[in-house]
Amino acid sequence: MKVKYELICNDGRARLGKLHTNHGTFDTPMFMPVGTLATVKTLTPEELKEVGSAIVLSNTYHLWLRPGEDVVAKAGGLHKFMNYDGPMLTDSGGFQVFSLAKPKDITEEGVYFKSHIDGRKLFLTPEKSIEIQNKLDSDIAMSFDECIAYPADYDYAKNSTERTLRWAKRGKDAFNNENQSLFGIVQGGEYADLRKWSAEETVKLGFDGYAIGGTSVGEGKDVMYQMIDDAIKYLPTDKPRYLMGVGEPSDIFEGIERGIDMFDCVLPTRLARHGNAFTYNGKINLKNLKFKEDFTPIDSECDCYACKNYSKAYIRHLLTAKETLGGRLLSIHNIRFLIRLTEEIRKSIENGNFLEYKKEFLDRYENSDK
Amino acid sequence: MKVKYELICNDGRARLGKLHTNHGTFDTPMFMPVGTLATVKTLTPEELKEVGSAIVLSNTYHLWLRPGEDVVAKAGGLHKFMNYDGPMLTDSGGFQVFSLAKPKDITEEGVYFKSHIDGRKLFLTPEKSIEIQNKLDSDIAMSFDECIAYPADYDYAKNSTERTLRWAKRGKDAFNNENQSLFGIVQGGEYADLRKWSAEETVKLGFDGYAIGGTSVGEGKDVMYQMIDDAIKYLPTDKPRYLMGVGEPSDIFEGIERGIDMFDCVLPTRLARHGNAFTYNGKINLKNLKFKEDFTPIDSECDCYACKNYSKAYIRHLLTAKETLGGRLLSIHNIRFLIRLTEEIRKSIENGNFLEYKKEFLDRYENSDK
């Protein structure tokens, strides 16, 4: 079946809802941790469930290279391959067009890449991206798009956005997996008229959900929020809306305030690898010498496995000694932190006090003396 | 309290027993995984319990350098520091005398090291080793000894073995932790008369258990087994006997056949980091291309978390992509393999068919066409 979005209630534009998928139903707004290579770095599927993570994102470009979509298909799809039975979304490779390809590598037909592993020349098209995702058999596939760099001049953004729409059509036509849903992606760079055009035309094609892409690519916060505003008002209310690549608490709040239902970001696991942790009083770096004899948890208000069982001093020791359990404990904590944030936000939407909760959380998060 | 060894039954010289400690009782013979830096690499204490690991070894030398024994003591000891409530043994730093110091760094007073981290000059004495271990508050501390290299000339081995005995006496005199047990270590190199002398004199000093040291340092298998024979007959039957640094299945069998109760080795976690796994048909390397589309578990007869949930193809993918979950799954599997081996061996001792089980296991393990 295709995913179904169920709107429970609004608080302003913020939406409380449920997304029904072939691998279970989850509440929205929801944060998705990223499992680039069919693993959320350092963690097992059981640990993801334990932190309340309801849906995981995995990367088409990376799985195309390793182990290859045919290996995953022979395993019975991505769920079986990685032993994860919850909902799963695959991106399209569009972000890698931004991060790995050069403008001149982008043609109407598709995008040339140099493999980040061995420099081998690769060619990814909308059809190929969809074929790979059909084989990976995620619950939600994404249209192949170009994630436009910021800033982009108007003509470049217009041409790219129009091409992304043509790619979306081609991908939709090539799509062949009745158990999988397909989301369209709104591009348009920083231009309001292009965002409007992209949203309206993408909706006309008819997808199971809509993403807002091209954010978190170096634009300022205000520009990002404007990009959301310029696109989201043209998206249907009966489909899920997904803001791609966003994971900072303040951005999650701003997205939800504007009607976003889903987020993904590598931030919690990337922060963990560098020894950083979210706390209700802002981020801290556990490698800091001041934690050497701090036998309290990362955040005394956190209910995660790391905070219930380990001290800052122990985690600092693990990080200093380059023991991988350190990054693993921080990954558990950081993902739990964002998942719990969405839990609290959902409660606030239900209670009609989303904006109060936002102010309360961010005042403390951004202004604490750590 | 001090540990108490309870002999259940013998099968030849092989012993089935129990070791009672302040943190619980476990059956012997038992394999101990190594948690060098207060963590068995990649794993949590819960995972160690799940694989049936009943006692963990941690390293005095490494914890002395990082985070420092005083940090651990302030945390309330090693158990609290690493959130592990089972039995724990600390080595003395004696193996590092072998692996890190040069012969001329060894004096009657103690041993000069260059720190393997920053080259800083360090001085470890029997008293200091015991003081550190008293502070770490493990269940079992080890006497500070020199682990003699192989081969060693007779005079060197004799002088070293006599000094190790003087160090054992000094450590025992300095020992100051009534909740901790202290084991003596038999040295003597490859010389039967020195092994006998070392065993008898160490026993005269009176320890809570006895280890046979100086094995697994490059000598051949037959030499190692002879070293055990030359020492173990002089050890009391009412105390546990521990063969240090041994973890190959064949060596575990040979040790148990001669009356050994405890083993430790970094082998299962080190093999895991290099992509290797124990199987009942011998070791395999999961990075091998032939496993790319092998959707069967590492070992279909294994009951570990990795084998119950993941395929060789998936683990190979994780290893190839340098995802740490790969090494973690292999660590779980390899430790479980050795722990289960000791479980099976204990059953065979109880059933009086240890030698039959040894032959059956090793015939298959060493001769299979993998």
Side-chain angles (χ1 to χ4, degrees):
Chain A
M1 71 166 209
K2 306 295 181 183
V3 299
K4 275 189 202 129
Y5 177 75
E6 182 187 348
L7 178 67
I8 307 291
C9 70
N10 279 95
D11 181 6
R13 286 190 287 164
R15 297 156 35 112
L16 181 71
K18 285 181 187 295
L19 197 68
H20 303 280
T21 82
N22 285 320
H23 288 88
T25 293
F26 61 86
D27 299 323
T28 59
M30 176 58 73
F31 175 78
M32 296 185 278
V34 176
T36 303
L37 280 152
T39 167
V40 175
K41 287 189 190 307
T42 75
L43 302 185
T44 62
E46 288 80 2
E47 285 167 330
L48 289 171
K49 287 188 183 172
E50 199 183 315
V51 298
S53 166
I55 173 168
V56 167
L57 179 147
S58 208
N59 287 76
T60 290
Y61 167 84
H62 291 89
L63 293 172
W64 176 39
L65 269 59
R66 290 187 304 203
E69 68 279 13
D70 288 325
V71 171
V72 176
K74 281 181 194 167
L78 200 45
H79 291 87
K80 282 196 181 155
F81 184 61
M82 67 184 278
N83 189 42
Y84 171 73
D85 63 2
M88 181 166 291
L89 181 148
T90 42
D91 72 357
S92 63
F95 184 77
Q96 282 71 38
V97 178
F98 159 73
S99 60
L100 298 175
K102 291 174 186 140
K104 65 176 168 56
D105 299 330
I106 304 170
T107 71
E108 182 64 27
E109 179 61 17
V111 181
Y112 293 93
F113 292 93
K114 272 191 186 164
S115 159
H116 72 289
I117 300 168
D118 57 12
R120 185 162 53 99
K121 200 170 181 180
L122 301 166
F123 189 55
L124 191 58
T125 65
E127 291 82 4
K128 182 70 187 172
S129 168
I130 293 297
E131 183 198 333
I132 297 167
Q133 294 184 78
N134 286 167
K135 286 183 179 175
L136 296 176
D137 200 24
S138 55
D139 296 278
I140 301 170
M142 300 300 299
S143 289
F144 187 64
D145 63 332
E146 181 188 354
C147 175
I148 304 169
Y150 178 88
D153 70 50
Y154 185 83
D155 285 349
Y156 186 91
K158 183 165 185 289
N159 288 333
S160 168
T161 301
E162 289 171 2
R163 184 174 50 214
T164 282
L165 187 77
R166 292 190 293 274
W167 286 358
K169 172 82 168 57
R170 281 167 53 190
K172 190 164 187 286
D173 290 344
F175 192 85
N176 184 24
N177 184 333
E178 62 186 14
N179 287 315
Q180 197 175 35
S181 298
L182 180 61
F183 281 21
I185 303 179
V186 179
Q187 290 290 349
E190 66 262 41
Y191 301 103
D193 63 321
L194 297 181
R195 286 278 171 189
K196 174 176 188 286
W197 183 87
S198 179
E200 287 178 340
E201 296 299 318
T202 306
V203 170
K204 276 186 206 162
L205 290 179
F207 289 95
D208 304 308
Y210 297 92
I212 297 176
T215 60
S216 276
V217 293
E219 79 282 8
K221 297 269 181 195
D222 290 345
V223 175
M224 189 210 297
Y225 305 151
Q226 189 62 49
M227 287 172 172
I228 303 170
D229 281 330
D230 291 339
I232 204 161
K233 54 189 163 192
Y234 306 106
L235 298 180
T237 55
D238 62 344
K239 302 283 178 190
R241 296 105 165 248
Y242 159 30
L243 183 61
M244 300 175 83
V246 164
E248 280 285 358
S250 58
D251 296 339
I252 289 177
F253 273 107
E254 295 292 334
I256 291 173
E257 187 173 339
R258 288 163 173 81
I260 297 290
D261 307 305
M262 297 160 71
F263 302 86
D264 82 282
C265 196
V266 296
L267 189 64
T269 41
R270 178 177 292 164
L271 285 176
R273 283 199 298 287
H274 294 96
N276 293 294
F278 290 118
T279 81
Y280 286 101
N281 296 312
K283 289 192 205 98
I284 58 173
N285 189 304
L286 271 292
K287 291 186 188 170
N288 197 307
L289 186 63
K290 73 179 173 186
F291 299 127
K292 186 169 180 179
E293 298 188 357
D294 185 334
F295 301 110
T296 64
I298 304 167
D299 192 320
S300 59
E301 291 163 62
C302 180
D303 59 3
C304 83
Y305 170 76
C307 287
K308 279 189 291 186
N309 293 293
Y310 301 94
S311 66
K312 292 191 197 78
Y314 181 63
I315 294 171
R316 180 183 185 279
H317 162 65
L318 294 175
L319 295 168
T320 306
K322 302 199 191 320
E323 288 285 350
T324 61
L325 182 60
R328 182 178 159 198
L329 293 176
L330 285 181
S331 292
I332 287 172
H333 171 78
N334 285 341
I335 294 174
R336 175 63 193 149
F337 187 88
L338 291 186
I339 296 285
R340 194 173 176 199
L341 176 64
T342 61
E343 288 172 7
E344 296 293 327
I345 289 174
R346 290 199 298 271
K347 260 189 247 169
S348 78
I349 297 173
E350 194 171 8
N351 297 334
N353 61 359
F354 168 77
L355 287 177
E356 290 90 325
Y357 179 66
K358 176 189 169 195
K359 182 173 181 335
E360 183 195 322
F361 179 96
L362 291 177
D363 273 356
R364 185 173 166 201
Y365 183 80
E366 292 175 347
N367 302 317
S368 286
D369 182 21
K370 294 183 279 283
Chain B
M1 71 164 207
K2 305 298 179 180
V3 297
K4 274 190 203 129
Y5 177 75
E6 182 188 347
L7 177 68
I8 307 292
C9 69
N10 277 92
D11 180 6
R13 285 190 289 164
R15 299 158 29 116
L16 181 71
K18 285 181 185 294
L19 197 68
H20 303 281
T21 82
N22 285 320
H23 287 87
T25 293
F26 61 87
D27 298 322
T28 59
M30 176 57 73
F31 175 79
M32 298 185 277
V34 176
T36 304
L37 281 151
T39 168
V40 174
K41 288 191 190 304
T42 75
L43 303 185
T44 62
E46 289 80 2
E47 285 167 330
L48 289 172
K49 286 188 184 172
E50 199 184 316
V51 298
S53 166
I55 172 168
V56 167
L57 180 147
S58 209
N59 287 75
T60 290
Y61 167 84
H62 291 89
L63 293 171
W64 177 38
L65 267 60
R66 289 187 305 203
E69 68 278 14
D70 287 327
V71 171
V72 176
K74 280 181 195 168
L78 199 46
H79 290 87
K80 283 198 179 154
F81 184 59
M82 67 183 278
N83 190 42
Y84 171 74
D85 62 3
M88 181 166 290
L89 181 148
T90 42
D91 73 357
S92 63
F95 184 76
Q96 283 70 38
V97 178
F98 159 72
S99 61
L100 298 174
K102 292 176 185 138
K104 66 178 169 52
D105 297 332
I106 305 170
T107 70
E108 181 65 26
E109 178 61 15
V111 181
Y112 292 94
F113 291 93
K114 271 191 186 166
S115 159
H116 73 290
I117 300 167
D118 57 12
R120 185 163 52 100
K121 198 169 182 181
L122 301 166
F123 189 56
L124 192 57
T125 64
E127 291 82 5
K128 182 69 188 173
S129 168
I130 293 296
E131 183 198 332
I132 297 168
Q133 294 184 77
N134 285 167
K135 285 184 179 175
L136 296 176
D137 201 22
S138 54
D139 296 278
I140 301 170
M142 299 301 299
S143 289
F144 187 63
D145 63 332
E146 180 187 356
C147 175
I148 304 169
Y150 178 88
D153 69 49
Y154 186 83
D155 284 350
Y156 187 91
K158 182 165 188 287
N159 287 334
S160 168
T161 301
E162 289 172 2
R163 185 172 52 213
T164 283
L165 187 78
R166 292 190 294 273
W167 285 358
K169 171 84 167 59
R170 280 167 55 192
K172 190 162 188 287
D173 290 344
F175 193 85
N176 183 24
N177 184 334
E178 62 186 15
N179 288 315
Q180 196 173 34
S181 299
L182 181 60
F183 280 21
I185 303 179
V186 178
Q187 289 290 348
E190 66 264 39
Y191 301 102
D193 64 319
L194 297 182
R195 286 281 170 187
K196 174 175 190 284
W197 183 86
S198 179
E200 287 178 339
E201 296 300 317
T202 307
V203 170
K204 275 186 208 163
L205 289 179
F207 289 96
D208 303 309
Y210 296 92
I212 297 176
T215 61
S216 276
V217 292
E219 78 283 8
K221 297 271 183 194
D222 290 345
V223 175
M224 190 209 296
Y225 305 151
Q226 188 62 49
M227 285 171 171
I228 303 171
D229 281 330
D230 290 339
I232 205 162
K233 55 190 162 192
Y234 306 107
L235 298 180
T237 56
D238 63 343
K239 301 284 179 189
R241 294 107 163 246
Y242 159 29
L243 182 61
M244 301 177 82
V246 163
E248 282 285 0
S250 58
D251 296 339
I252 289 177
F253 273 107
E254 295 291 333
I256 290 174
E257 187 174 339
R258 288 163 172 80
I260 296 291
D261 306 305
M262 299 161 69
F263 301 86
D264 82 284
C265 197
V266 296
L267 189 65
T269 42
R270 177 178 291 165
L271 286 176
R273 284 199 298 287
H274 294 96
N276 294 294
F278 290 117
T279 82
Y280 286 102
N281 296 313
K283 290 192 204 98
I284 59 175
N285 190 303
L286 271 293
K287 291 186 187 169
N288 196 307
L289 186 63
K290 72 178 173 186
F291 299 128
K292 187 170 182 180
E293 298 189 357
D294 184 335
F295 301 110
T296 64
I298 303 168
D299 192 319
S300 59
E301 293 164 62
C302 180
D303 60 1
C304 84
Y305 170 76
C307 287
K308 280 189 292 187
N309 293 294
Y310 301 94
S311 66
K312 293 192 198 77
Y314 181 63
I315 294 171
R316 180 183 185 277
H317 161 66
L318 294 176
L319 295 169
T320 306
K322 300 199 191 324
E323 288 286 349
T324 61
L325 183 59
R328 183 179 157 195
L329 293 176
L330 285 181
S331 293
I332 288 173
H333 170 78
N334 285 342
I335 294 174
R336 176 63 193 148
F337 187 88
L338 291 186
I339 295 285
R340 195 173 175 200
L341 175 64
T342 60
E343 288 172 7
E344 295 294 325
I345 289 175
R346 291 198 299 270
K347 259 189 249 167
S348 78
I349 297 173
E350 197 173 7
N351 297 334
N353 61 358
F354 168 76
L355 287 176
E356 291 88 327
Y357 180 65
K358 176 189 169 194
K359 181 172 182 332
E360 181 195 323
F361 179 95
L362 291 177
D363 273 355
R364 184 172 167 203
Y365 183 79
E366 293 175 348
N367 302 318
S368 286
D369 183 22
K370 297 184 277 283

